[in-house]
């Protein structure tokens, strides 16, 4: 093991580096291991770069307006105070009027499930429910959410019990990289309610008649606001159809079992794996 | 995004007065267009007056027709029984636009006032007379596949991209407005949007500080025979290349009166009175519709990359009228 990164070795610091470190009282809060790691990094060739990094981290941490905050508003203007419910819990925030709900959720409340894809209303990755309706959090000002009820992907499961839509997405492989998935699932959950209400869509033949049963074509059209770059659409539609119709379809895949594994394992004299 | 002051309006008079008092203030409704444009630095208001708490979301029977609140969402409007039963064309046009999420946010007032999707308008590094009067038009000699074939000027060749307004125009809608002084007036939708002329920076005839209260629809005889056709690059969640709002009132197989409105071909929803005149009194048939389509497009002047829209519009008109008349 490289001596410099050994837990107990005290690295040699130049006088300048030692002085710089001592001038940063905030370092005391970082904890021994972190201090030692940084000292060790310093003693390597990274020197001032690492110190600079640390200074930035410290400055940001000191600015954090609330626990759990990832980034701070360094130049917040036109502050708006608001209280909103997020996944059933009342949150009080003071935000720059420019902050959109997506950034408030991710960067102030630490709820990073909702994703930023395009930031322009074109992909659906940021979909959340506001007062039960699916909306795009990237085009919703946080300030407009005063008194509203926001549900994100983090709020769908009940403890360890997945929301039926989450379970169905897993069953049908409704994702590949997973980036669009929180938005897809939130969108799909709202879609169920829209179908129950008898809402129409672009592919509804007769908009004056009411139907509450959705075909796969209807589901595709109603989910068109959620783009998936991995093209997991067949699984997504199948998952939603099962939850919507209540008709179970057999899972099309399964985890490999030990016997199957043994048949291909190198240790068992086979070529692969 | 540039800093702005955020205020929450509690009643219409105050909202109109607040925006009227500040030349750089704007209304905020669903935010789906204005916030997008603010992120792109195209819109630069220093104050946003939030309308979403105003009690202007009602959809109700009024004067034999219906009044649709400016703050009602596109979703609630499209799905309201009064609209689905009596103005199915409007329902079809709304659900042809955007996505489920966007329609939940978008309001009727904001939808009317959505701005063009011309890519030069969005790109602040490019010349654009609409964004920066006098800077030139990037699209005129540039990429103009999505642009106008009718009614454009050499100052601007942009199209109005919306769907809802095309149906509203076919249904003879009137826009009810409150001025910054609190006085109400109405503008027929046909005079609401405008052609670019020498002042493309002005999309509509609405004055600064004027608040849309409602959209009013008269009683309609088109509920039985209307159709909204939208042609686009993909099957859903895309703006129209050409759209047609078609409606006919039939009497013993003959057309008593008709409406033909084209979308995404001009700076405003384009009602073709020529096509409507060509249809009046004629039998509902592919031949009549073909002649009407020729009449609608007779004055078209395509740009370098959008000649396809001429033929597409003709075929779309015929198809929409066939569907409206239940012949296809
Ligand atoms: C990805 C994407 C795809 C889209 N696709 C389509 C489509 O296919 N078809 C389509 O038609 N539309 C489409 N849209 C546009 C969408 O329909 C509009 O953005 C929406 O209708 C605007 O309504 P809003 O309430 O969000 O307006 P806002 O963005 O809040 O406001 C828009 C403008 O209207 C003004 N305003 C709002 N309400 C009032 C009022 N009551 N009185 C006076 N002024 C007011 C605001 O000051 C602002 O200038 C799409 C949008 C996106 C982002
Ligand atoms: S077409 Fe109109 S909006 Fe587009 S660049 Fe020209 S002036 Fe601007
Ligand atoms: S991040 Fe909101 S729609 Fe893409
Ligand atoms: S799973 Fe990768 S984008 Fe949808």
């Amino acid at each position: 093991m490289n001596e410099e990164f050994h837990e107990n070795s005290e690295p040699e610091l130049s006088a300048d580096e030692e002085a710089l470190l001592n001038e940063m009282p905030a370092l005391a809060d970082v904890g021994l291991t972190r201090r030692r790691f940084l000292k060790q990094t310093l003693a390597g060739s990274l020197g001032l770069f690492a110190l600079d990094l640390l200074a930035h981290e410290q400055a940001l941490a000191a600015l954090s307006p609330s626990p759990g905050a990832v980034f701070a508003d360094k130049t917040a203007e036109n502050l708006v105070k608001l209280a909103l419910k997020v996944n059933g819990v009342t949150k009080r925030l003071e935000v720059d009027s420019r902050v959109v709900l997506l950034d408030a959720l991710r960067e102030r409340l630490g709820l990073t499930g909702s994703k930023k894809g395009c930031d322009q209303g074109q992909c659906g990755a940021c979909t959340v429910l506001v007062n039960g309706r699916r909306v795009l959090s990237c085009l919703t000002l946080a300030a407009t959410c005063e008194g509203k009820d926001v549900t994100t992907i983090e709020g769908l499961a009940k403890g360890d019990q997945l929301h039926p839509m989450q379970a169905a997405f897993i069953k049908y492989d409704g994702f590949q990289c997973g980036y669009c998935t929180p938005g897809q699932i939130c969108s799909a959950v709202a879609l169920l309610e829209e179908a129950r209400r008898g809402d129409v869509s672009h592919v509804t033949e007769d908009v004056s008649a009411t139907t509450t049963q959705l075909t796969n074509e209807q589901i595709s059209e109603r989910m068109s606001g959620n783009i998936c770059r991995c093209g997991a659409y067949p699984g997504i539609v199948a998952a939603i159809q099962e939850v919507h119709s209540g008709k179970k379809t057999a899972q099309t895949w399964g985890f490999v079992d030990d016997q199957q594994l043994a048949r291909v394992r190198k240790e068992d004299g086979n070529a692969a794996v | 995004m540039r800093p702005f002051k955020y205020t929450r309006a509690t009643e219409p008079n105050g909202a109109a007065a607040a925006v009227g008092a500040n030349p750089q203030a704007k209304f905020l409704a669903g935010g789906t267009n204005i916030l997008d444009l603010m992120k792109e630095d195209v819109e630069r208001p220093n104050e946003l007056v939030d309308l979403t708490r105003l009690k202007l979301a009602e959809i109700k029977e009024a004067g034999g027709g219906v009044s649709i609140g400016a703050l009602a969402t596109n979703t609630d409007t499209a799905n309201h029984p009064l609209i689905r039963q009596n103005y199915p064309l409007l329902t079809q046009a709304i659900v042809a636009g955007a996505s489920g999420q966007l329609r939940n946010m978008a309001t009727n007032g904001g939808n009317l006032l959505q701005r063009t999707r011309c890519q030069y308008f969005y790109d602040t590094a490019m010349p654009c007379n609409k964004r920066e009067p006098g800077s030139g038009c990037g699209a005129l000699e540039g990429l103009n596949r999505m642009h106008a074939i009718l009614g454009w000027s050499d100052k601007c060749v942009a199209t109005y991209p919306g769907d809802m307004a095309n149906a509203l125009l076919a249904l003879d809608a009137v826009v009810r407005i409150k001025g910054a002084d609190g006085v109400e007036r109405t503008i027929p939708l046909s005079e609401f949007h405008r052609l670019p002329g020498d002042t493309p920076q002005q999309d509509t005839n609405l004055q600064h500080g004027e608040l849309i209260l409602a959209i009013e629809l008269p009683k309609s005889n088109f509920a039985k025979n209307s159709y909204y056709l939208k042609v686009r690059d993909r099957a859903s969640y895309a703006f129209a290349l050409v759209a047609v709002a078609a409606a006919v009132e039939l009497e013993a197989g003959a057309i008593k009166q008709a409406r033909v409105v084209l979308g995404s071909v001009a700076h405003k929803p384009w009602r073709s009175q020529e096509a409507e005149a060509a249809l009046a009194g004629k039998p509902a048939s592919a031949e009549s519709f073909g002649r009407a389509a020729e009449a609608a497009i007779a004055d078209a002047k395509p740009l370098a990359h959008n000649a396809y829209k001429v033929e597409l519009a003709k075929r779309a008109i015929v198809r929409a009228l066939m569907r409206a008349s239940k012949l296809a």
Side-chain angles (χ1 to χ4, degrees):
Chain A
M1 194 193 225
N2 185 333
E3 257 304 297
E4 277 169 5
F5 289 93
H6 194 273
E7 271 290 301
N8 297 316
S9 78
E10 270 301 322
E12 290 278 310
L13 295 183
S14 73
D16 279 350
E17 285 167 341
E18 192 67 69
L20 274 166
L21 267 175
N22 290 336
E23 273 169 27
M24 293 179 60
L27 265 183
D29 305 332
V30 189
L32 183 67
T33 324
R34 180 97 176 110
R35 176 184 166 85
R36 195 188 307 278
F37 172 75
L38 275 152
K39 278 186 115 178
Q40 287 159 344
T41 319
L42 275 176
S45 54
L46 288 167
L48 289 171
F49 169 73
L51 198 59
D52 190 46
L53 204 72
L54 182 70
H56 274 102
E57 266 187 35
Q58 292 299 315
L60 277 172
L63 271 169
S64 285
S66 62
V70 185
F71 290 105
D73 292 307
K74 272 190 282 184
T75 52
E77 289 181 56
N78 299 300
L79 290 175
V80 182
K81 276 201 177 104
L82 63 138
L84 70 166
K85 255 197 189 159
V86 180
N87 299 328
V89 181
T90 300
K91 300 281 179 188
R92 283 172 211 287
L93 284 176
E94 197 169 11
V95 295
D96 186 309
S97 59
R98 289 170 288 185
V99 171
V100 292
L101 179 60
L102 177 62
D103 291 335
L105 291 169
R106 290 181 56 86
E107 296 180 2
R108 298 291 298 277
L109 299 173
L111 295 170
T112 53
S114 310
K115 297 290 184 274
K116 185 178 286 191
C118 64
D119 211 18
Q120 289 197 302
Q122 298 183 1
C123 75
C126 66
T127 303
V128 300
L129 311 182
V130 174
N131 291 353
R133 299 232 174 161
R134 49 177 169 163
V135 301
L136 301 176
S137 59
C138 72
L139 290 181
T140 302
L141 284 184
T144 62
C145 294
E146 167 67 30
K148 300 217 169 140
D149 213 326
V150 179
T151 305
T152 68
I153 188 73
E154 290 91 342
L156 290 180
K158 291 205 177 76
D160 282 347
Q161 193 67 41
L162 291 180
H163 187 284
M165 194 61 79
Q166 291 174 304
F169 265 65
I170 295 171
K171 174 174 168 186
Y172 287 102
D173 245 352
F175 48 84
Q176 191 180 104
C177 77
Y179 197 82
C180 71
T181 314
Q184 299 276 4
I185 292 178
C186 285
S187 200
V189 167
L191 182 154
L192 296 179
E193 187 50 37
E194 292 165 14
R196 247 175 255 133
R197 281 204 312 253
D199 282 7
V200 296
S201 87
H202 174 56
V203 295
T204 303
E205 262 311 308
D206 178 3
V207 299
S208 60
T210 299
T211 34
T212 54
Q213 279 306 309
L214 304 183
T215 60
N216 285 356
E217 185 200 15
Q218 280 283 355
I219 291 174
S220 296
E221 161 59 27
R222 289 163 194 250
M223 288 297 290
S224 74
N226 292 84
I227 309 277
C228 174
R229 292 204 306 186
C230 300
Y233 299 114
I236 294 171
V237 173
I240 298 173
Q241 185 59 272
E242 174 166 307
V243 183
H244 166 65
S245 64
K247 289 195 202 96
K248 296 248 180 284
T249 318
Q251 186 162 302
T252 52
W253 60 275
F255 288 112
V256 77
D257 62 28
D258 281 346
Q259 267 187 337
Q260 287 171 314
L261 206 56
R263 263 182 259 134
V264 291
R265 215 158 26 197
K266 228 190 255 163
E267 292 85 329
D268 302 311
N270 297 300
V273 191
Chain B
M1 203 188 287
R2 293 171 193 238
F4 61 86
K5 184 177 150 210
Y6 170 83
T7 38
R8 214 171 271 142
T10 51
E11 44 83 36
N13 280 324
V19 170
N22 175 2
Q24 297 202 64
K26 288 253 180 183
F27 297 117
L28 171 73
T32 59
N33 192 226
I34 194 157
L35 288 179
D36 184 22
L37 289 168
M38 285 166 70
K39 287 183 183 187
E40 296 294 325
D41 208 26
V42 174
E43 297 270 18
R44 301 169 176 183
N46 66 12
E47 180 179 0
L48 281 185
V49 176
D50 182 358
L51 303 176
T52 50
R53 312 273 159 155
L54 298 184
K55 296 196 173 26
L56 292 176
E58 216 184 345
I59 298 168
K60 57 176 189 229
E61 283 176 315
V66 24
S67 165
I68 306 165
L71 270 297
T73 64
N74 276 182
T75 298
D76 287 344
T77 307
N79 287 294
H80 197 284
L82 279 174
I83 307 299
R84 279 168 66 170
Q85 296 302 326
N86 306 315
Y87 309 94
L89 182 66
L90 179 56
T91 295
Q92 286 183 339
I94 293 175
V95 297
S99 68
Q101 292 94 312
L102 283 159
R103 294 190 297 268
N104 280 343
M105 305 165 76
T107 65
N108 297 323
N111 192 305
L112 286 184
L113 291 172
Q114 65 177 290
R115 308 209 67 191
T116 185
R117 308 302 284 202
C118 169
Q119 65 272 34
Y120 299 94
F121 174 68
Y122 265 78
D123 186 345
T124 54
M126 289 291 176
C128 171
N129 288 324
K130 189 182 276 300
R131 174 168 35 74
E132 208 182 315
S135 64
C137 170
L140 185 63
E141 306 279 324
L143 298 172
N144 46 36
R145 177 177 170 270
M146 301 290 287
H147 291 71
I149 53 170
L150 286 159
W152 51 268
S153 72
D154 59 5
K155 297 288 190 296
C156 177
V157 294
T159 56
Y160 174 75
D163 291 296
M164 186 185 84
N166 303 325
L168 289 174
L169 183 55
L171 296 167
D172 302 310
V174 169
V175 185
R176 178 164 294 279
I177 289 155
K178 183 181 279 293
D181 55 6
V183 178
E184 284 188 24
R185 67 173 181 126
T186 56
I187 315 180
L189 195 72
S190 53
E191 289 159 31
F192 188 83
H193 297 96
R194 55 188 297 284
L195 290 178
D198 288 335
T199 50
Q201 66 274 23
Q202 231 180 300
D203 293 348
T204 69
N205 290 316
L206 208 61
Q207 304 299 311
H208 182 75
E210 282 190 316
L211 173 72
I212 303 174
L213 298 173
I215 298 163
E216 296 167 352
L217 289 174
K219 184 177 177 313
S220 169
N221 295 326
F222 294 124
K224 260 196 292 182
N225 291 102
S226 62
Y227 192 75
Y228 192 78
L229 177 68
K230 180 172 179 178
V231 186
R232 42 188 159 176
D233 283 327
R234 58 184 186 199
S236 187
Y237 200 19
F239 286 95
L241 299 169
V242 169
V244 182
V248 289
E249 189 185 346
L250 298 176
E251 217 170 55
I255 299 165
K256 195 171 164 203
Q257 56 162 341
R259 289 288 184 283
V260 176
V261 175
L262 294 173
S264 294
V265 297
H267 196 261
K268 63 177 190 180
W270 187 269
R271 179 171 169 188
S272 175
Q273 258 141 350
E274 297 81 359
E276 294 170 11
L279 290 168
K282 300 284 166 4
S285 69
E287 292 79 64
S288 313
F289 300 156
R291 273 193 293 275
E294 291 294 340
I297 292 303
D299 291 336
K301 288 188 189 64
L303 304 160
H305 306 120
N306 68 3
Y308 76 94
K309 279 197 181 187
V310 176
E311 184 60 26
L312 186 59
K314 275 194 236 170
R315 295 189 194 191
I317 291 170
V318 173
R319 179 151 191 86
L321 285 165
M322 294 288 282
R323 290 296 298 256
S325 315
K326 305 199 169 26
L327 297 173

